[in-house]
Amino acid sequence: MNIEFKKIAKIDYETLNCVTLFDDNTIDRAFGVISDGLINYKLGWQSDILKPKMLNIVDQIYLVGVDQNLAIFDFINGEIVLKLYLDYFFYDAILYNDSILIINELELIKVDSRSFDIIETYGLPDFVEKIEFKDGMIEIHCYEDQILKVK
């Protein structure tokens, strides 16, 4: 099945009758819809420069993050399985072993990829520059050569 993200106008967003992943009517300037052709999810976000990042978790379960919002949603059941308002701006999400690593500007959130429970949260010493996987460890390289190692 083909999953498609499409940016839409505010008027189309307001009239679209489907599940809202996240939005904030007071500050949102960009709007979109994610669809598999049968089920639609809509979202609004603040930054008109950034585009939401998506990640296929398994089968028809997807993650989307932008600004300080993140949602994991299911096209099979048509529901949101995890919704987070992040303390810091969303940077990226990566599948690693049986976990989803949600990387914010100053935080790493480790989520179980089957139950979608938060396993642990790690504070980062500074902004993320790159992530490496070495010898069963996750190395998060931050600004000014600071490294956080997570198993």
Side-chain angles (χ1 to χ4, degrees), residues 131-149:
I131 299 167
E132 295 182 323
F133 301 93
K134 292 182 179 177
D135 303 321
M137 297 289 288
I138 306 161
E139 287 188 2
I140 303 168
H141 297 256
C142 297
Y143 185 70
E144 293 192 355
D145 297 324
Q146 298 180 75
I147 299 173
L148 175 69
K149 293 182 180 185

Side-chain angles (χ1 to χ4, degrees), residues 37-56:
L38 299 173
I39 297 176
N40 296 317
Y41 291 95
K42 66 182 183 177
L43 60 151
W45 65 98
Q46 181 180 0
S47 174
D48 51 5
I49 297 170
L50 297 176
K51 181 179 175 184
K53 290 186 181 181
M54 288 184 44
L55 176 66
N56 181 214

Side-chain angles (χ1 to χ4, degrees), residues 63-109:
L63 174 150
V64 64
V66 66
D67 292 337
Q68 289 180 268
N69 296 293
L70 180 126
I72 297 176
F73 54 101
D74 181 346
F75 277 106
I76 295 169
N77 299 315
E79 63 186 22
I80 299 170
V81 295
L82 178 66
K83 189 175 190 175
L84 296 174
Y85 180 78
L86 306 170
D87 291 333
Y88 305 100
F89 285 97
F90 176 77
Y91 177 76
D92 204 355
I94 300 168
L95 289 174
Y96 180 71
N97 293 336
D98 293 329
S99 300
I100 305 163
L101 306 177
I102 300 166
I103 302 124
N104 303 335
E105 284 179 321
L106 295 171
E107 185 176 61
L108 170 76
I109 303 170

